[in-house]
Amino acid sequence: MKIIAFTFAGGSRYSFQMFSKKISHFIVEEYPGRGLRIKEKLLTEIDMIIEDLLPKVIKEIETTKEYIIYGHSMGALIGFLICHRLQELEIKSPLKLVVSGRNDPSLKRDKKIADLPNIQFWEEVIKIGGIPDELKKHPELIDFYVPILKADFKAIEDYHYEKSEKLKVPIDVFYGKSEGISENEIEGWKNHSTEKVVLNSLEGNHFFIYDNESFFVNYFESLTTNIHIPIN
């Protein structure tokens, strides 16, 4: 079974190394303009990112009987929308959608920062917990990461939710107790699937996945070994 994963804003496949090195068939789909796709043009619209990633996801699921989709923060939104596109195209759905660090995708984003001057933008991203601690320790990388982060934040901030048929897959939702997402904002995920939606809170801020690495490694491994759902 494969786990097809999507990272947070500014992330690359290296952002999930703590999972991909320990979990077999944990595949991180990389967005244009970073990592191994550094020479490609950055995309600033969610729809463009989805259309870029969709063929790559389809190629992955063609070679597996069962798969799970996972995304953190921006990646949670992308994973959610990828699931919708697969359902619309009548391509086999994942056994489960797993999302972390993201509130109900139908909620509007109150604060927009993508168009701020670079230094102010960087400060705002740090305030809202949008920078992993590892990156904060290397301010010399700001000039490199700001364009990538701005493109991703632009895509997130300009996204407009459009109501559509509910997903027909179960969803596991994880959020950090200190990341500033309320229970009401998380509860909204229950409106997006006809199947069971389970909400889970863990200690930590927006990047609580790093604080709970062992938990998630065990969680993903349990999914790949314990879920047995017949494939139509």
Side-chain angles (χ1 to χ4, degrees):
M1 183 192 297
K2 293 181 179 179
I3 298 175
I4 302 173
F6 305 96
T7 66
F8 45 83
S12 70
R13 67 173 54 197
Y14 306 110
S15 303
F16 281 166
Q17 282 190 101
M18 72 284 198
F19 299 147
S20 60
K21 284 185 175 182
K22 297 179 180 179
I23 304 167
S24 60
H25 305 298
F26 190 99
I27 297 152
V28 184
E29 293 292 350
E30 200 145 57
Y31 315 139
R34 80 283 318 274
L36 298 178
R37 303 184 67 184
I38 190 65
K39 294 183 179 180
E40 298 180 41
K41 182 181 178 181
L42 290 164
L43 301 178
T44 58
E45 296 179 20
I46 285 290
D47 289 345
M48 293 173 65
I49 297 172
I50 298 302
E51 293 310 308
D52 171 86
L53 294 172
L54 188 60
K56 298 173 178 60
V57 173
I58 292 173
K59 186 176 180 180
E60 289 292 347
I61 65 180
E62 283 176 345
T63 58
T64 186
K65 290 183 178 180
E66 301 175 339
Y67 71 100
I68 292 163
I69 284 184
Y70 166 63
H72 181 76
S73 194
M74 174 182 174
L77 175 60
I78 289 173
F80 170 74
L81 295 174
I82 287 285
C83 285
H84 270 287
R85 290 290 288 122
L86 293 171
Q87 186 165 291
E88 290 167 6
L89 295 170
E90 298 184 345
I91 296 173
K92 63 181 177 184
S93 296
L95 299 184
K96 189 185 288 284
L97 169 63
V98 181
V99 296
S100 59
R102 168 79 198 196
N103 57 14
D104 173 1
S106 68
L107 296 177
K108 291 184 178 180
R109 197 174 182 91
D110 294 330
K111 191 172 185 178
K112 296 189 176 184
I113 64 173
D115 294 327
L116 292 174
N118 287 358
I119 294 177
Q120 190 177 352
F121 168 78
W122 185 262
E123 291 173 348
E124 288 296 323
V125 173
I126 290 175
K127 285 180 186 177
I128 62 176
I131 302 291
D133 290 338
E134 292 79 2
L135 191 53
K136 292 178 190 175
K137 298 172 185 176
H138 300 282
E140 69 275 8
L141 297 177
I142 292 177
D143 289 342
F144 174 78
Y145 276 104
V146 161
I148 298 172
L149 282 164
K150 278 196 166 188
D152 289 352
F153 269 77
K154 180 73 172 171
I156 297 167
E157 292 171 357
D158 288 351
Y159 166 71
H160 295 286
Y161 172 78
E162 293 183 6
K163 191 173 182 179
S164 58
E165 182 182 8
K166 290 184 178 183
L167 293 177
K168 299 173 183 177
V169 297
I171 306 175
D172 282 358
V173 183
F174 295 91
Y175 65 103
K177 293 180 179 179
S178 304
E179 68 171 314
I181 296 179
S182 70
E183 290 185 13
N184 288 338
E185 291 174 317
I186 290 295
E187 282 282 337
W189 275 103
K190 293 182 177 179
N191 300 321
H192 295 289
S193 178
T194 60
E195 304 302 311
K196 188 175 183 180
V197 178
V198 179
L199 310 180
N200 309 273
S201 64
L202 294 170
E203 295 296 335
N205 58 20
H206 185 58
F207 285 99
F208 65 94
I209 56 173
Y210 291 106
D211 300 324
N212 296 278
E213 179 182 330
S214 295
F215 169 86
F216 280 104
V217 168
N218 291 333
Y219 166 77
F220 285 125
E221 286 182 338
S222 71
L223 290 184
T224 59
T225 56
N226 295 336
I227 293 182
H228 298 287
I229 299 176
I231 300 298
N232 296 327

